[in-house]
Amino acid sequence: MVGMLIGLGQLSMPYAVESGGWISIFLLISFGILTTYTSHILGNCLRRNPKSKSYSDVGYSAFGRHGRLIASVFIYLEIFMALVSYTISLHDNIFAAFPATFTNFRNGHFPAAKLTAVAVAIALPSLWIRDFSSISFLSSGGILMSAIIFGSVVYTAVFGGVIDDGKIQMLRLRNIPTVSGIYLFGFGGHIVFPNLYTSMKDPSKFTKVSIVSFATVTALYTALAITGAKMFGPSVNPQITLSLPKHLLVTKIALWATVLTPMTKYALEFAPLAIQLERSLPSTMTDRTKLVARGLVGSTLLLVILALALSVPYFGYVLSLTGSLVSVTIAVILPSAFYLKICWDEMSKFTRTANLGFVVLGCVLGVLGSFDSSKLLVKELVRVHGG
C-alpha cells in the first residue's frame, strides 16, 4: 500500500506548501486522515459483498452497471493522466541530468524530447510483460527510487548548505483549490486497495494496514514538504529534484532516480487496462495473439502519451489537474458514495451525515481545483505557444 501511494506526489509537496502557505500543511495532514478513512470504508464495502474483487466491482455492488461504468472511466482516466505526469517528469529530469547535451542547441527542448523518446522506447517492452512477478519487480524498483529521492533531499538539507532568505506566506487562500489537487494526488491509490484486500491472508486487518500505511506516507510527505519549502522558499520548483544544487553528487543521484522512476512505473500503471483488455478479447484468440494485441495497444497508448506530455510540459499544473479531477473522485467521492449505498442500513445518523459531507466536499474541491488548474494550464500554454 505504501508503494502504491508514494510516487510523483512526493516531488511536489514542497511546491504545494509554497503555493498554499505554511498553514496548508494541516490540509495535507487532513487529507491523509480523510483518505485513510475512505480506504477503511472501501474495506467495509468489500466485507459486505465478498464477491467484489476490484474497485469497479464495488461500484457495481453499489449502483449496478452505471456504478461499474463510472468507476471504470475514472480508473482508466487516472491511469492515462498518471502516465502523462510520469512522462513529463521524465522529460524535465532527463534535461537536468544531461545539461551539457543541450547547451549547443538553440532550442534545448527538441534534443531533450529526443532523449525522452529514447527513454520511453527503452521502457516500451515492459508493456508486453504478462508475468506479474516481473511487474512486481519493476514496482519494487520504483519504491527504491522514491526512497533515494527522499534521502537526497534530506541529505541536501543537512549537509548541502542550502539557505533561502525568501519567506513563504502563512496562507495563500486563492491557491488552496490547486494545492488541494496536488495533495490529493499523493493519496490516490484506492483503485488498487480492493485487490490488496482480497489478496490478504487475514482481510480483517485491512483497516490496521491502512492506518499504518497512510500514517507512514503522511509523515513522509509532511517531512519532505517542510524540508523542501524551508530550503528553497519561494524559488522551489514544482519538482523538488530540479531545485537541488547542481554541483552536488547527491543531486545527480536524485535526478537519475527521478528519470528511472517513470520507466519502472509504466508496466504497473498499464496493468489494470491490460487485464481488462485481455478479458474483453474473444476467447477464440490464442494467447500469442492476445499478447500481441495487448502490446500494440500499450505501445500506441504510450506513444500518444509521449506526444501529449511533450506538448504540455507543465508538471505542477498537470499534477494538480489530475488530483482535482481524478484523485479526489477515486479517493474521496466514490468510496463515500459506495459506502452510503451499500451500508446505509447499518450506519448511524452521524456516519451518514459525515459521508454525505465528504461527497459534497470532494465535489466542491474537484470543481474548484479542476477549474483553477485548467485555467493556469491554458494560460501557460497561451503564454508560451502564443508568444
Side-chain angles (χ1 to χ4, degrees), residues 332-347:
V332 179
I333 298 172
L334 291 184
S336 295
F338 294 160
Y339 185 48
L340 283 167
K341 186 68 169 63
I342 294 171
C343 303
W344 179 271
D345 56 344
E346 64 184 41
M347 288 183 187

Side-chain angles (χ1 to χ4, degrees), residues 235-280:
S235 64
V236 68
N237 194 280
Q239 297 182 72
I240 185 64
T241 48
L242 300 179
S243 290
L244 298 176
K246 301 295 186 289
H247 64 280
L248 295 179
L249 175 62
V250 72
T251 300
K252 294 178 175 60
I253 294 172
L255 290 172
W256 268 105
T258 313
V259 167
L260 292 174
T261 296
M263 298 174 70
T264 64
K265 292 280 189 178
Y266 285 138
L268 184 67
E269 291 286 345
F270 178 66
L273 180 59
I275 293 170
Q276 187 60 41
L277 174 65
E278 288 198 17
R279 286 177 180 173
S280 63

Side-chain angles (χ1 to χ4, degrees), residues 50 80 136 138 151 162 173 175:
F80 182 80
S136 298
L138 287 172
V162 178
L173 194 59
N175 291 342

Side-chain angles (χ1 to χ4, degrees), residues 22 35 59 138 160 182 191 247 261 295 385:
W22 287 115
T35 48
L138 287 172
I182 296 174
I191 60 173
H247 64 280
T261 296
H385 295 290

Side-chain angles (χ1 to χ4, degrees), residues 67-246:
R68 185 188 294 279
L69 177 62
I70 292 170
S72 298
V73 166
F74 278 97
I75 287 170
Y76 299 142
L77 193 57
E78 181 176 65
I79 291 170
F80 182 80
M81 295 187 74
L83 288 173
V84 171
S85 299
Y86 277 120
T87 309
I88 294 173
S89 175
L90 172 64
H91 174 264
D92 291 347
N93 285 275
I94 215 167
F95 183 88
F98 299 97
T101 307
F102 313 116
T103 53
N104 295 325
F105 293 87
R106 292 182 180 179
N107 183 0
H109 293 289
F110 179 67
K114 286 177 67 175
L115 200 53
T116 303
V118 170
V120 169
I122 293 171
L124 207 58
S126 67
L127 300 183
W128 293 66
I129 296 174
R130 294 184 69 184
D131 180 7
F132 281 90
S133 62
S134 300
I135 294 176
S136 298
F137 175 76
L138 287 172
S139 176
S140 300
I143 296 170
L144 176 62
M145 295 304 107
S146 296
I148 290 172
I149 293 166
F150 178 74
S152 300
V153 174
V154 173
Y155 179 90
T156 304
V158 177
F159 302 106
V162 178
I163 300 175
D164 188 276
D165 295 328
K167 291 185 178 181
I168 294 176
Q169 296 179 27
M170 289 302 295
L171 180 64
R172 300 173 71 180
L173 194 59
R174 61 186 176 84
N175 291 342
I176 291 300
T178 306
V179 168
S180 296
I182 296 174
Y183 285 152
L184 282 165
F185 183 89
F187 293 112
H190 290 57
I191 60 173
V192 183
F193 293 169
N195 305 89
L196 296 179
Y197 176 92
T198 55
S199 67
M200 288 179 68
K201 184 177 181 180
D202 183 4
S204 66
K205 294 181 179 178
F206 179 78
T207 296
K208 292 182 180 178
V209 169
S210 297
I211 292 171
V212 173
S213 301
F214 275 88
T216 302
V217 171
T218 303
L220 186 146
Y221 284 164
T222 304
L224 191 61
I226 294 172
T227 303
K230 196 71 177 173
M231 272 199 298
F232 302 110
S235 64
V236 68
N237 194 280
Q239 297 182 72
I240 185 64
T241 48
L242 300 179
S243 290
L244 298 176
K246 301 295 186 289

